[in-house]
Amino acid sequence: MQSNRGNRLVALLVGAAASALVAGAATAQDACTEMQVFLSISPAHRDNVMSYIAPKLKEEMGVTLVAEEIGSANMVERLSAQMPNPRVTIAQWDVPIGVSACADGMCAPIDLSKAPNAGKLFDWAYTKDGDDVVVLATNVLGVGLLYNEEALKEAGIEPPTSWTDLADPSFAGRISITAPASTWGTAQLVKWAQMGGGGVDNIDPGFEFAESLMDNMHTVHTWSSEMSNLMQLGEVWLSTTGSNMGAALRAKGLPVRWVLPEEGSPVAAGGLSFVKGAPCTEAAYRYLDLYYSDEFQLLRVKDGGLASPSPTAWDKIPDETKADMDLTSKEFDKLEALDWKAINAVRPEWIERWNREIR
Amino acid sequence: MDGTSGLRRVAPLLFIAPVIVLMAAFFALPVADLLSMSFQAKHPEAGAGGFSLVNYAKILGDLWYWQMLGNSLALGFCATLTSLAIGYAVAWRLTHCGGWERTLIALACLLPIFVNVIVGILGWYILMLPFGVIQQALDALGLIHGPLRWLRSFWALVGVLTYEHVPFAVLILAASLQNVPADKIAAARILGASGPRILWTVLLPLSMPGIVASSILVFSLSVSSYLVPILITGPRGQFIPISIYSYAAELLDWNMAGALAFILLVVVVVLTYLFIALSNRLTRRGEWSMV
């Protein structure tokens, strides 16, 4: 009897302590003073977020924004290590990576009613898991060809219009292509496979096309920064990359243009997800609303060279900005959506095969 | 009395305690974790986290990984040989000169260590680009046209690793050569030994501790180097550290990355031990030991 009483007392004390801990944790959750976000590596991305969104979050909610730019795969790696108590609230990763991470249970559903600006995007900007929206597109990116206008003019070479121009002997030693370890590289590989009669189910023609480019190959790059350096050094004249790179490099004074190849261009957009179990939910919705505001989207169009997934933002883009854009909403019909769920299932095999065969 | 002797016994342990704690926290634990991950499949067929040899079977049963291991070891051997060859001559000169020459050599050895490794490598990178400074010079002389593909080659990598590691070799070898008694060299000369013979029979055996120490350092740094290969050959370089990074960061397969890392670790440790044992036997000294 005494023992039972003792046990009950201990249980009561443990219960009270646990309740206090939970209450403390809940209070900490509510009292969000700092919110961490992962940003995709993209021209002027962090600058835009820290100059436009961060001050508003601080002023309105007293929340300090901590934004870190890292690659999408690293985001998954670091969030996995933090689970089940992640410290990062928002992950802005490539849509394909986000789709895969959400399928692994890393994402919280996004309630669009809590961020009105995020609810007015083009339909294709929403990726759902069942009925829940889990990934929002943050931009529209096509994978195509970037070339150095001046270098081609000096060498008397016509600007490229097709993926097959990569194999033109005039570009001997002057091309750089993206490896499938990057999302753009994977999208480009699928496109090449489709051009040869294959696709996600038969990627061989894609590899054959890549192999046929080796005589012209200067570098196979994984990071666009490496390609940018080589363009800047005048080593590479023609490269495969995302549509935002043209405006970004022109802003640095490089005479480059991005072109959407006549065979079409695969879409590889950036995305945004809420991390499951992360703190600062209220601030996260405010961040979302600010991110998709027309004002911020126009900043991204201007500084980041990105096409916006928000139709209302498109209407407000000044004509001179539109004239300098390599990809506009008029060309959206030439962009081809890919089945990233199917691609993600076989992508590791492609990366391994690429590492072995494309040298 | 007891208290004093106990303190005397504990005192030495206190000196090495920081090293033991650091090694345990930042080497032993991570390596143990990596090892345990390497014995798990990324996508286990039955039950998550179960013991599996699938990663090791995949690596050991695939010629590609053997070739990659061969490339990494060849890189280590070549970088060690070139670093030793250059380092030995420089170290000899360093220990037999004085004044401004000694200062100049010491400065030349120390500067690359102080310069950030990326800055150092970028110099090579720009120099050896397919249309870089060397190509442009040769093109201007009419010797070649078109790109030079040196940058992405194995030998370019050996060159850069040698540049990076020669200073370490020089500093270790100089300390060792300084301890070679001058009277033994003088005695060999008086007895009529030629320069090469003095080098082979006197200098090399007596400076073997330095040779072994610098070989181990340069070899292990070169074999496990990631930064230099990724900047010089890029992700297409077929070397184990690049593959480890690819599995961990691109394919998010830490299990395979762990298995590759552990195989590399075992191979380097075994080769190092064999090298030390062989050196002991060849010099027939046994007076110095590294193990």
Side-chain angles (χ1 to χ4, degrees), chain A residues 73 217 235 352 355-356 359, chain B residues 62 131 149 236 238 247:
Chain A
M217 197 65 67
E235 288 278 320
E352 273 201 66
N355 289 342
R356 286 169 188 248
R359 300 184 188 186
Chain B
D62 190 334
F131 293 98
R149 299 186 191 274
R236 291 159 71 202
Q238 306 287 314
Y247 272 110

Side-chain angles (χ1 to χ4, degrees), chain A residues 54-75:
Chain A
K56 290 183 172 58
L57 281 180
K58 187 73 183 169
E59 194 183 319
E60 295 171 18
M61 310 177 82
V63 173
T64 305
L65 187 67
V66 179
E68 187 183 357
E69 266 191 335
I70 59 169
S72 297
N74 282 343
M75 289 183 201

Side-chain angles (χ1 to χ4, degrees), chain A residues 224-294:
Chain A
S224 52
S225 55
E226 186 181 5
M227 181 277 298
S228 308
N229 287 338
L230 293 171
M231 276 267 176
Q232 203 157 16
L233 289 167
E235 288 278 320
V236 165
W237 291 350
L238 176 61
S239 173
T240 62
T241 191
S243 51
N244 62 327
M245 292 307 297
L249 293 182
R250 277 198 298 278
K252 288 181 182 171
L254 262 71
V256 293
R257 295 293 323 174
W258 183 90
V259 64
L260 195 151
E262 59 195 21
E263 296 92 344
S265 165
V267 184
L272 180 154
S273 298
F274 283 0
V275 180
K276 194 177 179 179
C280 299
T281 309
E282 202 185 330
Y285 276 107
R286 184 64 189 131
Y287 177 96
L288 200 62
D289 206 41
L290 288 167
Y291 197 93
Y292 286 103
S293 65
D294 289 346

Side-chain angles (χ1 to χ4, degrees), chain B residues 49 117 171 239:
Chain B
V117 66
L171 294 176
F239 303 101

